[in-house]
Amino acid sequence: MDRVEQTNESWRILIVEDDERLAELTREYLESNGLAVSLETHGGSAVERIRNEQPDLVVLDLMLPGEDGLSICRRVRPFYSGPIIMLTARTDDLDQVLGLEMGADDYIGKPVKPRVLLARIRAMLRRVTENAQNSADEASNEEPTRLQFNDLVVDRSMREAWLSDISIDLTSAEFDLLWLLSSNAGRVLSREEIFTALRGIEYDGQDRSIDVRVSRIRPKIGDDPIHPRRIKTVRSKGYLFVKEA
């Protein structure tokens, strides 16, 4: 495998993959590029590993012995807020949609090119780091970190949102998207802008993750999924968060 430029990040990655040879090769490549990597080959042990170790990011295979990746993803989300990249050998969009609905932040089709996986990991962790830094900067500069739209409140520093004073259950990726849209209320954001801002990579024109997340966020913030009034789809343009819905 080709080695790319070494970095000094001390990010901790947990790879949950039952193909031991593939997992070991992937670990060697990622570690040669500055990441600290641990492995888990059995789905039945993954939940406790994630709970106990709290890695910075999880790479999670879909098909695993003991417990599949979708179930693991769903079970860890109540106590794990870090990014989850799901690996799938299937090309069925349903698996990708289900993964996102269970709380995955990204998905990559197998066979996975190591350089692609490394780039996705770095982009996602940079996004997490930048979000935390931006929240700190805004707090120190007394810039608004809380937005209110009638009965909907979104707080970036707390990374929480409330509807009629009731906390909304959002995944980390869903909150990032809601904040991006609401902080740009009144302006149409294209899928390309959203994808680049949230994922740190170029939009390929086919990825459905943004659409899936919008469809999941709408009912959570009291929006009508059929005739949305808060997050509107602007045909051939993107999405618009309406200030006064």
Side-chain angles (χ1 to χ4, degrees):
M1 298 178 185
D2 295 334
R3 179 171 176 175
V4 298
E5 184 179 353
Q6 180 95 14
T7 63
N8 294 319
E9 292 105 353
S10 57
W11 289 321
R12 298 172 299 111
I13 313 299
L14 174 63
I15 298 177
V16 186
E17 166 64 70
D18 63 323
D19 185 330
E20 294 186 26
R21 182 176 180 276
L22 175 61
E24 190 58 47
L25 287 172
T26 303
R27 172 161 68 177
E28 290 176 4
Y29 180 79
L30 296 180
E31 287 185 337
S32 73
N33 284 282
L35 303 178
V37 182
S38 56
L39 303 179
E40 177 54 59
T41 59
H42 196 275
S45 305
V47 171
E48 286 308 307
R49 286 284 303 273
I50 295 170
R51 184 196 302 273
N52 294 332
E53 297 179 18
Q54 292 292 314
D56 295 307
L57 181 144
V58 176
V59 178
L60 179 62
D61 192 20
L62 178 64
M63 302 300 294
L64 293 164
E67 186 171 0
D68 66 80
L70 292 176
S71 175
I72 294 169
C73 191
R74 175 181 57 80
R75 289 180 59 202
V76 303
R77 270 317 182 196
F79 57 81
Y80 178 70
S81 60
I84 297 176
I85 297 178
M86 189 161 284
L87 306 180
T88 174
R90 300 177 181 176
T91 57
D92 189 350
D93 282 348
L94 180 59
D95 286 328
Q96 299 170 351
V97 171
L98 286 174
L100 295 170
E101 290 183 344
M102 292 299 103
D105 297 274
D106 197 0
Y107 55 82
I108 304 177
K110 285 185 169 182
V112 182
K113 295 181 179 179
R115 291 177 67 90
V116 172
L117 178 59
L118 177 63
R120 294 284 188 93
I121 289 172
R122 282 180 171 165
M124 193 152 290
L125 289 172
R126 277 198 302 268
R127 187 198 76 198
V128 171
T129 302
E130 287 167 1
N131 285 342
Q133 184 61 51
N134 288 339
S135 295
D137 290 344
E138 288 171 357
S140 63
N141 294 332
E142 297 185 354
E143 294 181 8
T145 61
R146 174 172 289 211
L147 303 174
Q148 182 161 2
F149 306 90
N150 298 323
D151 56 348
L152 174 66
V153 178
V154 187
D155 191 305
R156 180 171 186 173
S157 60
M158 298 181 66
R159 292 188 63 78
E160 290 189 48
W162 299 265
L163 182 65
S164 300
D165 296 323
I166 299 174
S167 180
I168 303 172
D169 183 19
L170 296 167
T171 67
S172 178
E174 288 170 352
F175 179 85
D176 289 340
L177 177 54
L178 177 58
W179 177 263
L180 179 64
L181 292 171
S182 61
S183 62
N184 286 278
R187 183 168 80 87
V188 177
L189 294 181
S190 68
R191 286 176 176 82
E192 290 79 4
E193 287 180 278
I194 296 171
F195 202 84
T196 300
L198 297 184
R199 301 271 287 276
I201 56 177
E202 292 184 3
Y203 180 58
D204 62 7
Q206 299 181 4
D207 191 293
R208 298 179 57 198
S209 59
I210 301 300
D211 302 319
V212 171
R213 289 197 182 106
V214 168
S215 69
R216 284 183 54 79
I217 291 171
R218 278 172 172 154
K220 292 183 179 185
I221 63 173
D223 212 354
D224 186 335
I226 307 301
H227 303 290
R229 57 190 176 83
R230 273 199 163 112
I231 302 179
K232 293 189 174 183
T233 302
V234 181
R235 189 175 181 84
S236 301
K237 296 291 185 181
Y239 289 104
L240 170 68
F241 191 97
V242 180
K243 290 183 178 181
E244 300 295 333

